[in-house]
Amino acid sequence: MLSALLERIVPATQRRTLDEMVEDLDLSAGDSRAKRSAFWTMLTLSSVIAAGGVITDSTATVIGAMIIAPLATPIMGIALGSVQRRRTGSVRIVLFGCLLVIGVGLVFSVALPESYDLLSNGQISGRTSPGLMDLVSAVATGLAGALALSRRDVAAVLPGVAIAISLVPPLVVAGVCLGHLAFWPAMGALVLFLSNLFGLVSAGMAVFAVVGYGAGGARRATRRTRLAMALLFTVVFIPLVGNTTVTILVDLWTARAKEAAGEWLADTPGSSVTRVDMVSRTISTSTSAPRGTCPRGAS
């Protein structure tokens, strides 16, 4: 049954060979000098583009950086090397690549004044508070990317996968936040990147093993790889659960505050609750009412 399902998902006639996969994902295979030159050039340019998009709060610019960012290649190389049970140097490339992108974000952070409210920027605030759904999306995107890499006939979906998985922008945001000594937002952006990293590697390992790229038909990674993935999952899962829980509680408390304020305004025709905000442990509400009216108990 598994083989029949595999044949439907990745038909043998469209399945890429292991040599083709290694050529595309292993930057140390083949003409490694040319591959790495292209990788570092495109990663630097995508980082600069992403930083510019983040600083100017331009979604289109950030998406452009996602499309050309090559960081997913060595990450998928980690997945392929894991099921092959061989070292490819992809981990080191990803590590130095992350440091490069964060460094670019640090440099661009000087363009923002010290008094700048980072969370008022949608490109920053949207990447500093990840939740469990981000991890779910990352795993699903990793599955799509691994399947696209395994098949010759669906390579056209890879740009969409590049947009869906956010790798370079969170690292740039982390650098910008670190440049302004905003350590908690920077940690949030790093957790988002790590969740996407875990999603890509874990999904890639699963797909590549099932398709048959494992060493000698092996379907299990080495003990060291499993321990590393378990540690990465723990580092990612705990803060994501905590942040998701806090978000749910804040939504619940603000909804109750809005309901209570609505009951307080019930005797004032035309009045309404316009906004409910929660800062630390304090909930504040904004209301509107027709001129000349005053809600019961207000002064």
Side-chain angles (χ1 to χ4, degrees), residues 267-271 288-296 298-299:
D267 295 338
T268 306
S271 61
S288 64
R291 289 186 177 182
T293 63
C294 183
R296 180 184 60 193
S299 58

Side-chain angles (χ1 to χ4, degrees), residues 2 12 14 18 51 125 127 169 176 178 184 190 275 277 291:
L2 179 60
Q14 295 296 336
L18 177 59
S125 61
R127 293 182 171 88
V176 172
L178 287 174
W184 282 114
L190 285 175
R275 185 172 177 177
D277 295 309
R291 289 186 177 182

